[in-house]
Amino acid sequence: MEINMEIKIANGILMESGLPFLGVERFEFEWKPNEHAFLTMRGYLNEKEKYHLAEAYGDKIKLKLEEGGVTLFYGYLVDIRVDHVGNTREIKLKAASGSFRIDRKLESESFQNQEESYAEIAQKTAKGAGARVICTEGIGISIGKPVIRYQETAWQFIERLASGLGTCIVSDIMTGERDFWFGMRNGESIPSLAGEEYTVDICRERDGGKVTTIYKVKSRKFYKIGDRTTLNGVEWKVCGVKAVFQKGELTFRYLLKQEEIIKPIYLDCFAGLGLKGTIAEVKNEQVRIVLDIDEGRETGQYFYNWYPETGNSLYAMPEPGTRAVLCFGEREEREGFAMHSLPNTMKGFRYYRNRQLDTKEGNMLHLNEQSIAISKEGSRSVCICNGLISANSVGKFRICAENEVRMSAKRIIMRSPDEVNICQE
C-alpha cells in the first residue's frame, strides 16, 4: 500500500496516507537531536473504503501545510491499532522518521586509517546502511586513532562518533527517506520569537560545571531544528521541536539553546574486551592487526603497541600471519593494544592455564595443565603427559650425558620400522 489519499485534517493542514482516513482528532510529533522523530495520531477510518491493515506497516504517512506545501512530518508507519467504537472505526497509529530504519541491525567493524576524517567515516557507515548523511561537522578533522564499531547499529555508532566532536546527529523528517545530519543542521534565520509565550530554564551540569540557559517557546509558526532566531538581543538555535494538534488547533513548542553540546558517549563493554585478528605487519615493538570483525578487509595502517603478558622480559615479537588479540583496558576503544598470540588451531575461548610458543619454522613449546611438549620442526618431539614420557624422531635418536644415562620404569617401549640398536660409546 502506498500514499494515494490526501485529506484535509483542518484548515491549512493536509495529510497523505494509504489508509482511508475519515478525520483526525489529534496528533503530535517531537523532533530532537540524537533521537528519531516519532508521530502519534488518533483518528477515524472511512467505513465505506476497503483496506488491508497488515499491508500498511512500513508504508509512509505525510503531514504538510497547505500554504506553500511545507512538510511537517514524513515517515514510516511502525504501529497501527484499529478499534470498533459503535458504528465507527477508531485508529491509533505511530510513525517514525526514516532514520529509524538504520537503527535495527547490529554490526561490528573497525576504522584504522588515522588520516580518515570523522565525516568520511560517518558517510561510509551511512552508505552501508542505505542512508544519506549531510555533514556539517567533522569535515577535514582526522580521527587520529582507530575507532571501532562493536555490536552497534549504524545510528548508534554515528551518534557515538559525533559525540567525540561534542556534537550531535539530527534525523530528517521532511524527505521520508533514511536521511540525517552529522552535526547540527544549518538552518535559516527566522523572525524573533520575543513576542511569543515562553519560559526560561537555567540549570547547572551535575559536576558543577557550565550553567545552561534554555528557552521554551510556544508559537503557531513552524520552524525547524537548526534555525536561528533572536530573543532578548541574543542569538539562539532551535534545538527541539514539538508539534501538537488537538481541537482543530496546531501549536509548536521550541527548545532554544545557544549551542547543542553533547558529552562523549562510550561503550562500557570495551573495558576488558578482546577482539581476535591476524598480525599483518610488525614494526619495532608495534603490530598492525587485521581484525576478524572486518572479514579480511584492509582497514588502515595503524600500529598498536605490543604488550607481552610476561612484561618486558622473556618475550618475542609475533610474526606476520600470527593470530593475536587486540585488548582494551578501558571503555575508550581508541586506547587498544595487542597483548598475546593465539595458536592457529585454537577454537573457542582462550584457556589461560595453557601456554604455547610456536615459531614459523615449526618449532613449538606447549606448557599445558596436564602435559609438557617440545617439538623441533615437527620431526622430533618429547612429551611428558600423565606420568608417561614419549620421545619421537623421524631420524636418528641419540641420548647423551656427561656421566651415566639410566632408564628405570616398569615398562619401557622402543619402536622402529627397521631395528633398534643400543650401544655404549
Side-chain angles (χ1 to χ4, degrees):
M1 188 186 301
E2 298 179 355
I3 288 181
N4 53 22
M5 301 181 189
E6 181 178 276
I7 70 167
K8 193 169 187 176
I9 294 177
N11 186 31
I13 307 174
L14 301 175
M15 179 177 71
E16 296 178 9
S17 170
L19 293 169
F21 272 89
L22 186 64
V24 173
E25 186 176 286
R26 188 182 192 280
F27 74 75
E28 71 174 62
F29 68 82
E30 192 163 9
W31 186 22
K32 297 170 68 177
N34 282 355
E35 295 182 14
H36 307 296
F38 288 98
L39 165 76
T40 57
M41 179 179 288
R42 183 173 70 245
Y44 299 95
L45 295 177
N46 190 340
E47 287 279 356
K48 298 179 181 180
E49 296 285 346
K50 293 183 179 181
Y51 67 94
H52 298 284
L53 193 62
E55 296 178 4
Y57 286 93
D59 283 345
K60 295 181 180 179
I61 185 170
K62 185 176 184 179
L63 297 173
K64 62 182 181 180
L65 299 177
E66 193 170 12
E67 182 180 352
V70 177
T71 300
L72 293 174
F73 182 92
Y74 197 0
Y76 294 84
L77 295 174
V78 295
D79 190 26
I80 307 171
R81 177 180 174 181
V82 176
D83 296 317
H84 289 268
V85 181
N87 295 324
T88 63
R89 286 180 293 176
E90 183 183 63
I91 182 172
K92 296 178 182 178
L93 62 80
K94 185 177 183 179
S97 55
S99 58
F100 178 78
R101 293 201 156 194
I102 66 170
D103 197 11
R104 297 187 293 186
K105 186 178 181 181
L106 300 176
E107 293 186 0
S108 300
E109 59 183 327
S110 73
F111 299 89
Q112 299 187 43
N113 182 358
Q114 61 267 40
E115 301 301 323
E116 268 192 307
S117 69
Y118 284 83
E120 288 172 331
I121 293 175
Q123 289 169 341
K124 279 185 179 180
T125 306
K127 184 178 180 180
R132 296 179 298 181
V133 58
I134 298 173
C135 295
T136 62
E137 299 283 353
I139 301 172
I141 302 177
S142 61
I143 57 174
K145 290 184 178 182
V147 292
I148 296 175
R149 173 184 175 186
Y150 183 72
Q151 289 299 294
E152 296 171 278
T153 65
W155 176 267
Q156 290 170 334
F157 173 67
I158 296 173
E159 178 187 356
R160 186 164 63 86
L161 188 68
S163 75
L165 294 172
T167 190
C168 59
I169 57 178
V170 180
S171 62
D172 177 90
I173 64 170
M174 292 158 286
T175 64
E177 302 297 337
R178 307 178 187 190
D179 300 341
F180 64 98
W181 284 267
F182 183 80
M184 177 56 73
R185 175 181 176 272
N186 287 330
E188 301 175 352
S189 293
I190 60 176
S192 175
L193 298 176
E196 306 287 357
E197 176 186 336
Y198 65 84
T199 59
V200 184
D201 286 349
I202 300 176
C203 53
R204 184 184 294 275
E205 295 180 359
R206 290 184 179 180
D207 56 6
K210 186 178 179 180
V211 175
T212 303
T213 302
I214 303 173
Y215 279 87
K216 298 178 179 179
V217 183
K218 184 177 180 180
S219 175
R220 296 180 185 275
K221 296 288 185 179
F222 176 55
Y223 303 115
K224 302 169 184 176
I225 284 183
D227 286 349
R228 303 177 303 278
T229 186
T230 57
L231 193 60
N232 297 332
V234 178
E235 184 175 272
W236 300 84
K237 283 185 180 180
V238 176
C239 294
V241 180
K242 184 175 183 179
V244 178
F245 172 78
Q246 58 185 355
K247 297 180 180 179
E249 182 182 24
L250 177 62
T251 57
F252 301 93
R253 296 178 176 86
Y254 299 105
L255 292 180
L256 303 183
K257 301 179 183 179
Q258 289 187 294
E259 201 66 50
E260 184 71 54
I261 300 176
I262 305 296
K263 291 184 177 181
I265 300 172
Y266 299 100
L267 284 184
D268 291 335
C269 67
F270 272 112
L273 181 68
L275 297 178
K276 296 178 184 179
T278 303
I279 301 295
E281 189 177 350
V282 179
K283 182 175 69 175
N284 298 326
E285 295 188 358
Q286 295 180 315
V287 297
R288 183 166 64 87
I289 184 170
V290 178
L291 297 175
D292 291 355
I293 59 174
D294 294 314
E295 299 179 345
R297 299 188 304 272
E298 285 286 345
T299 57
Q301 297 294 319
Y302 189 80
F303 282 84
Y304 289 94
N305 289 329
W306 176 261
Y307 293 155
E309 296 167 292
T310 57
N312 294 327
S313 60
L314 298 176
Y315 76 93
M317 292 299 295
E319 297 285 344
T322 301
R323 298 282 293 158
V325 176
L326 181 65
C327 301
F328 306 90
E330 54 187 71
R331 59 182 181 173
E332 171 59 271
E333 89 273 15
R334 306 179 76 179
E335 301 300 331
F337 55 91
M339 187 172 182
H340 49 231
S341 301
L342 299 173
N344 292 332
T345 57
M346 193 191 82
K347 297 180 181 180
F349 295 100
R350 182 176 175 86
Y351 188 46
Y352 285 90
R353 292 189 179 182
N354 297 339
R355 291 291 183 266
Q356 298 185 204
L357 174 63
D358 298 87
T359 70
K360 64 180 181 179
E361 292 81 8
N363 303 327
M364 67 85 172
L365 169 62
H366 291 186
L367 304 177
N368 300 323
E369 192 172 20
Q370 302 294 332
S371 65
I372 298 175
I374 303 172
S375 175
K376 178 175 175 56
E377 300 176 355
S379 61
R380 301 173 180 86
S381 65
V382 175
C383 180
I384 303 174
C385 179
N386 295 326
L388 299 176
I389 301 175
S390 63
N392 298 279
S393 174
V394 298
K396 292 183 178 180
F397 188 84
R398 178 177 294 180
I399 301 175
C400 300
E402 186 174 339
N403 294 315
E404 62 182 13
V405 174
R406 178 178 297 176
M407 291 185 290
S408 176
K410 291 182 178 180
R411 190 179 186 188
I412 298 175
I413 301 174
M414 296 183 183
R415 293 190 180 95
S416 172
D418 298 321
E419 60 181 352
V420 176
N421 296 316
I422 300 176
C423 62
Q424 179 179 351
E425 294 183 353

